[in-house]
Amino acid sequence: MTNPDGLYVKVHFRLEVKDDWPPASVESLWAVDQGNGTVRLDNIPWFVRGIACGDIVVVEPDEEGVRWAGEVVRRSENCTIRLIVLRDGGSGAARQSVINTFQQLGVDGEGIEQFRMVALDVPPTADLAQVQRLLNHGAAKEWWHMEEGCITTEWRAASGD
């Protein structure tokens, strides 16, 4: 979480589960309440597709006050990339090494032990081509499996797609 000044709330996202993945039907993320029925996401999503840290999302509380995510009203232009770390069995040291390596490129990350995962928050200010080269190199070396959870036009342009 990056903004201690705002009011933090949990926002829930419904997930579509196929072949037992993701391992939950709901993911909740921390967000900063914007006071107008929207929140700014302040977590890197583990499983939700099509959103990134910093996106502004409409929320709709249910009868119990649980905030459910609606449409994205403003994109942060960040990308969400997820890795399942294979190197050293996805150990804590291996996950931290991945996070540290990407931090040198201006990319934030978080690890989760249960699934040997690292979630990366790639800002538009990062050298996207360099980040992609490292991601592809690690995948080719079987250091990790990679998934693009949320990418931008700039990300696609940097890859030549």
Side-chain angles (χ1 to χ4, degrees):
M1 296 187 301
T2 57
N3 181 3
D5 300 329
L7 174 62
Y8 279 99
V9 297
K10 278 286 191 173
V11 178
H12 296 62
F13 291 79
R14 288 182 177 85
L15 304 173
E16 184 177 335
V17 178
K18 289 184 180 177
D19 299 324
D20 296 325
W21 194 260
S25 60
V26 174
E27 179 175 5
S28 61
L29 299 175
W30 285 109
V32 178
D33 191 337
Q34 303 295 287
N36 61 357
T38 66
V39 297
R40 182 181 47 78
L41 300 178
D42 203 30
N43 260 142
I44 306 169
W46 290 108
F47 305 111
V48 181
R49 294 180 177 272
I51 64 158
C53 189
D55 287 355
I56 306 289
V57 178
V58 171
V59 291
E60 299 176 19
D62 65 15
E63 60 280 350
E64 296 171 6
V66 175
R67 290 176 175 89
W68 290 95
E71 68 179 305
V72 176
V73 293
R74 192 174 83 218
R75 298 266 176 206
S76 65
E77 298 304 319
N78 291 5
C79 295
T80 302
I81 306 297
R82 294 182 270 261
L83 307 175
I84 295 180
V85 179
L86 305 173
R87 198 164 158 191
D88 297 330
S91 68
R95 290 189 314 276
Q96 190 60 52
S97 175
V98 170
I99 292 167
N100 294 347
T101 300
F102 281 97
Q103 280 179 335
Q104 295 173 20
L105 300 177
V107 174
D108 286 329
E110 295 180 43
I112 185 171
E113 182 176 1
Q114 184 177 4
F115 304 108
R116 302 180 329 218
M117 288 177 66
V118 168
L120 300 173
D121 178 41
V122 185
T125 54
D127 182 335
L128 301 182
Q130 185 178 10
V131 171
Q132 289 177 17
R133 281 193 296 275
L134 178 56
L135 287 167
N136 292 332
H137 177 75
K141 292 282 190 180
E142 297 185 352
W143 294 344
W144 52 67
H145 292 303
M146 179 180 74
E147 175 189 65
E148 295 174 328
C150 181
I151 59 172
T152 61
T153 303
E154 292 79 7
W155 179 266
R156 285 185 195 91
S159 71
D161 288 349

